[in-house]
Amino acid sequence: MSTQLSVARESFPIRGSFAISRGRKTSSEVVLVELVRDGQRGRGECVPYARYGESIESVIEAIESIRGQLQTDIDCEQLQQLLPAGAARNAIDCALWDLRAKLAGERVWTLAGVAEPVAEITAYTLSLEAPEKMHEAAIAHAARPLLKMKLAGHGDVERVAAVVQGAPGATIIVDANEGWTIDQYHEMVPQLAELGVAMIEQPLPAGEDQALEHIDRPIPICADESCHDCATLTGLRGRYDMVNIKLDKTGGLTEALKLRQSAVDSGFDVMVGCMVATSLAMAPATVVASGAKVVDLDGPLLLAGDRQPALDYSDYRVAAPAPELWG
């Protein structure tokens, strides 16, 4: 029996709004892929990202372009040759893993030959706002052990100071989303170190991060926009201490697992991150997240409503998915 493919656009309102250095949004626009074979259904979700030249339309078009191959029951390794790393391949790859698990009656991590995920503390992200608003958000989430702040450049030290004051017991990591210059880096990092910031994510634009070579890094720097898949890893040596693995960048769980191993073998610490999306998008990332230095899989917590069944976020941790959700 051949595999049947369905593709749909779905929208999930965000609780309030969510802002980073590149802009603000009020909903998460995702693409859902479903693959059905022998009475079993596998699902995958992705978030097209304009930063990488993606749109809902272009991602759906890319998925539809291999409809014929999907109907011939290709596997995840064959998929890697049909589409490049990115959101479209991610949705299909994760749906294939889910389908394979359902057909085999096994969990994905067993099929992948990795340990069963354990519940990991996840960061909770504070949207980019004025220091006063970020201070209020920090107070509201002060009990969380790990807070991630979106930053943008001007006023960032004041933002961090406001959050540290509002949540003095939390570990603080920051994400500039390519929003700094190298001069701002040199100016702010000593002050951020004094404030206790534990990690800085992607301070400079990906095309300009050669400026990070051979400079003091009193706070570990994590590559996000500069790290997509294994092919991009070599160019990060000497510039970054960590890499952020996101399935929408790697093009799915298959490449994400390879990237994690390659990063560890190359001496990088690992962060596992996400876009703002539902529990279905987070579920495959939990397979990569166990034991990671930083886990940032809070996407569903930023939404007004999630898929059901949803992931368990008890005790500020994210747990492995139930099979009814994925895998």
Side-chain angles (χ1 to χ4, degrees):
M1 181 181 294
S2 65
T3 301
Q4 304 302 310
L5 164 70
S6 64
V7 188
R9 172 180 184 162
E10 296 184 343
S11 180
F12 291 85
I14 291 172
R15 188 183 297 112
S17 65
F18 186 76
I20 66 172
S21 63
R22 282 188 285 271
R24 183 180 299 271
K25 62 181 183 178
T26 58
S27 66
S28 174
E29 305 298 317
V30 309
V31 174
L32 173 68
V33 166
E34 294 187 344
L35 299 172
V36 177
R37 185 195 312 164
D38 296 339
Q40 298 292 336
R41 180 185 65 163
R43 300 189 300 165
E45 177 184 310
C46 70
V47 180
Y49 197 20
R51 167 65 179 82
Y52 305 133
E54 297 173 337
S55 66
I56 293 287
E57 292 75 20
S58 71
V59 164
I60 291 176
E61 181 179 359
I63 294 168
E64 290 287 358
S65 74
I66 63 167
R67 176 178 286 272
Q69 290 96 322
L70 290 171
Q71 290 175 335
T72 63
D73 300 346
I74 66 169
D75 60 26
C76 291
E77 289 299 331
Q78 292 169 315
L79 174 65
Q80 311 306 301
Q81 310 307 314
L82 296 176
L83 289 176
R89 195 176 78 187
N90 176 33
I92 300 171
D93 184 80
C94 291
L96 284 170
W97 275 105
D98 189 27
L99 179 61
R100 180 184 171 195
K102 298 290 196 301
L103 290 169
E106 299 277 2
R107 297 311 308 267
V108 159
W109 43 87
T110 301
L111 298 175
V114 299
E116 180 177 353
V118 299
E120 297 279 0
I121 291 173
T122 179
Y124 182 86
T125 305
L126 303 183
S127 174
L128 175 65
E129 305 289 352
E132 301 77 25
K133 290 195 69 173
M134 296 190 83
H135 176 71
E136 293 172 2
I139 292 173
H141 296 283
R144 294 184 180 275
L146 181 60
L147 293 177
K148 174 176 169 176
M149 297 179 57
K150 291 294 187 177
L151 299 181
H154 179 70
D156 282 348
V157 173
E158 291 76 12
R159 291 183 177 96
V160 174
V163 168
V164 169
Q165 184 182 36
T171 296
I172 305 296
I173 58 178
V174 301
D175 182 7
N177 283 113
E178 306 179 280
W180 292 1
T181 65
I182 190 62
D183 288 339
Q184 287 174 318
Y185 174 89
H186 286 301
E187 176 187 354
M188 289 190 290
V189 163
Q191 299 174 76
L192 298 181
E194 288 186 8
L195 288 166
V197 169
M199 186 202 75
I200 300 170
E201 190 178 343
Q202 197 69 43
L204 304 185
E208 301 173 17
D209 60 359
Q210 68 276 5
L212 296 173
E213 290 184 13
H214 314 303
I215 66 171
D216 290 336
R217 296 198 294 269
I219 302 173
I221 303 178
C222 181
D224 182 3
E225 286 86 349
S226 290
C227 181
H228 289 249
D229 53 14
C230 290
T232 61
L233 196 59
T234 301
L236 306 181
R237 293 190 179 94
R239 302 179 184 183
Y240 295 95
D241 307 290
M242 301 176 62
V243 296
N244 188 354
I245 300 174
K246 292 180 179 175
L247 272 64
D248 275 316
K249 293 187 302 177
T250 65
L253 177 62
T254 302
E255 180 68 12
L257 290 171
K258 294 176 182 177
L259 176 57
R260 174 174 175 142
Q261 189 60 55
S262 294
V264 171
D265 291 345
S266 298
F268 292 101
D269 285 326
V270 168
M271 173 181 183
V272 178
C274 68
M275 305 296 285
V276 181
T278 78
S279 284
L280 180 59
M282 305 301 115
T286 66
V287 180
V288 190
S290 286
K293 182 85 170 183
V294 175
V295 176
D296 178 26
L297 298 178
D298 64 339
L301 302 178
L302 306 176
L303 300 176
D306 194 7
R307 297 186 189 276
Q308 297 300 322
L311 286 174
D312 181 359
Y313 281 95
S314 301
D315 299 323
Y316 310 121
R317 297 174 181 269
V318 56
E324 293 79 14
L325 172 63
W326 184 86

